Amino acid sequence: MQDAFYINDIDYIAGEYGIIEWNNSLYWNMYKYVCPLNAIPLIAQSVANIIKSIYGRNKKILTLDLDNTLWGGVIGDDGIAGIKIGAEIPKGQSYYEFQSYVKNLQSIGIILAVNSKNEEENALEGLSHPDGILRKEDFVSIKANWNTKDQNLREIADELSLGFDSFVFVDDNPAEREIVSARFPMVSVPQMDGPENYIKILDNNGYFETTVFSNEDIQKTESYRARATAIQEKSKYSNYDEYLKSLEMRAAVTEFEPIFVQRIAQLTNKTNQFNLTHIRCSESDIQKMQDNPSYICLCARLIDKYGDNGIVTVVAGEIVNDELHIRLWLMSCRVFKRSLEDLMMNILVDRAKQSDVKGIFGYYFSTAKNSMVKDFYSKYGYQLVSTNEQGNRIFHLAIDDYQNVGTNIDVV
C-alpha cells in the first residue's frame, strides 16, 4: 500500500559512515553482511526513527538559546557587529549553517522558540543580523529575559499547550542543560559539542524524522503563534465565555473527505492528550472507515480571528444493531477548551438519531498522557457502565436523553 511505504536512506548512512569502510569486503566474504558489523546499529537507529515518526513519537518544538548557539559571541557584550555569523567569518560559517538547518526544520512543521538569558532588545537585534537566516517571525515564542531556563520552558509549554515530551532544548551551556534535564526529564536535551557539530548531533538523534507532511504542517508556526496570542488575549477577559465569543470561531465539519485523509491519519498518530481510544490509523484505515456504511465519520477545521487552525478534531463511530460505538475521538492540543468538543458531540448525536441509533457507547482507554479526558463522556450525560484495573472505562448514553450543549462556534 502506498501509505505504508517508507524510504530508509542507506546511501546517506553509508556516506556518513565512510564509503571505503562501508564496502569492506571482509564482512561480505566472512558473513555475507552487506555492511560492517559496527554499522548495523546505525541502520537500526534509522529504521527506529522512521517507526517512531509513523507512530507520532517525534518531537514538536525546538527551543533554542541564542549566544554561542545561534551565533558566536554574546550579543549583550559584543553588540550586533561583534557576534560571529556568516560565510565571511570561519567560525561564523558554522552558525550560519546551523541557522539554515533550523530554518529548514521550521519549513517542515517544527515549532521554534527562543529561551535565552538576555535583554529582549538585544535578542531581537541579534535576530536581525544581516547575515543571519532566522528572524523574529520564525519563532512562536521568544523568552529573552533573566528568568531561569526551566521557568521559561514551562511558560512556553503552557502558552502552546504542549507536553514536555514534545520539546528539544538546545543550549551550549552544560549548566543550563543540566537544570532543564533535572527539572523536566521528559525534555530531550542533547549534549551540544561545538557549533560545527550542532547539525550532526540533532540529525543523528532523529528527533524530527518526517514520514508524513501536510498543509497543516506548513502552517504550524502561524497556528501556534495564533494560539499563544489567543492565550495572552484571554487574560483581558474576566469571563471565559466572553473570551470565547471574542475569538469569532467558525467550524467546518465534514466527513472524511479524500483531501483530509492524510491529515486525519496524521492526527491519530500524533495526538496523545485528548485521545480517548488511542488507536493509531494509516490512511487506508481512515479510508475504510469512510467507505463503510456502518460508520459515522466526522472531522472539523476551526477558524478564528487569528487564522485557520486546519483539521483539528476527528470522531468516528460504528453502528452495531441500533447502538453507536465510538471508535475514535481525538483533538489537537491547539484548540483545547474552545468548546469544539461540545459542537462535535451535538453533531454526532444528531447524525446518530438520523440513523435510528438508540444509544451510544463511549470508550476511554487509559494511557500515560490522556488522563485529562477520563471523565469526558460524563459531561454529556453518559453513564459509566464499567471500568477495569487498567483504568479503561466504558460509558453509555440513551440517545433520547441527550441535551444539546451550547457553544460559541458557528458552523459553516
Side-chain angles (χ1 to χ4, degrees), residues 46 173 187 294 299 378 383 395 407:
S46 181
N173 188 328
V187 174
S294 297
C299 65
S378 299
Q383 301 301 310
F395 296 82
T407 74

Side-chain angles (χ1 to χ4, degrees), residues 12 16 62 69 93-105 170 190-208:
Y12 174 83
E16 186 177 51
L62 178 60
T69 299
Q93 178 74 33
S94 297
Y95 293 105
Y96 176 85
E97 291 177 356
F98 182 56
Q99 285 202 21
S100 298
Y101 174 80
V102 171
K103 180 73 173 182
N104 286 333
L105 290 179
V170 170
Q191 302 301 304
M192 307 307 287
D193 179 23
E196 67 278 6
N197 296 319
Y198 286 176
I199 296 174
K200 183 178 180 179
I201 291 168
L202 289 185
D203 211 47
N204 286 355
N205 275 292
Y207 298 125
F208 309 112

Side-chain angles (χ1 to χ4, degrees), residues 256-316:
F256 293 174
E257 303 292 346
I259 194 173
F260 301 139
V261 166
Q262 183 187 65
R263 170 59 177 170
I264 293 168
Q266 184 185 45
L267 275 174
T268 69
N269 286 293
K270 286 189 173 183
T271 306
N272 296 305
Q273 296 177 79
F274 194 123
N275 192 332
L276 287 152
T277 58
H278 218 257
I279 296 172
R280 306 304 194 184
C281 298
S282 66
E283 291 179 34
S284 61
D285 294 330
I286 297 301
Q287 193 61 57
K288 286 176 183 177
M289 289 183 191
Q290 177 60 44
D291 294 341
N292 190 332
S294 297
Y295 267 78
I296 296 175
C297 299
L298 299 170
C299 65
R301 67 188 312 122
L302 187 68
I303 304 114
D304 58 36
K305 68 181 182 180
Y306 297 109
D308 187 346
N309 294 281
I311 299 294
V312 289
T313 189
V314 176
V315 182

Side-chain angles (χ1 to χ4, degrees), residues 325 361-365 377 382-388 391-396:
H325 297 257
F361 281 96
Y363 299 88
Y364 165 74
F365 299 148
Y377 288 109
Y382 287 69
Q383 301 301 310
L384 180 63
V385 174
S386 65
T387 186
N388 64 15
N392 301 328
R393 300 180 177 190
I394 301 176
F395 296 82
H396 184 263

Side-chain angles (χ1 to χ4, degrees), residues 78 172 181 209 234 251 306-307 310 314 324 337 363 374 394:
D78 303 326
D172 68 292
S181 294
E209 183 77 35
K234 178 181 172 182
Y306 297 109
V314 176
L324 179 68
K337 298 182 180 179
Y363 299 88
K374 65 181 179 180
I394 301 176

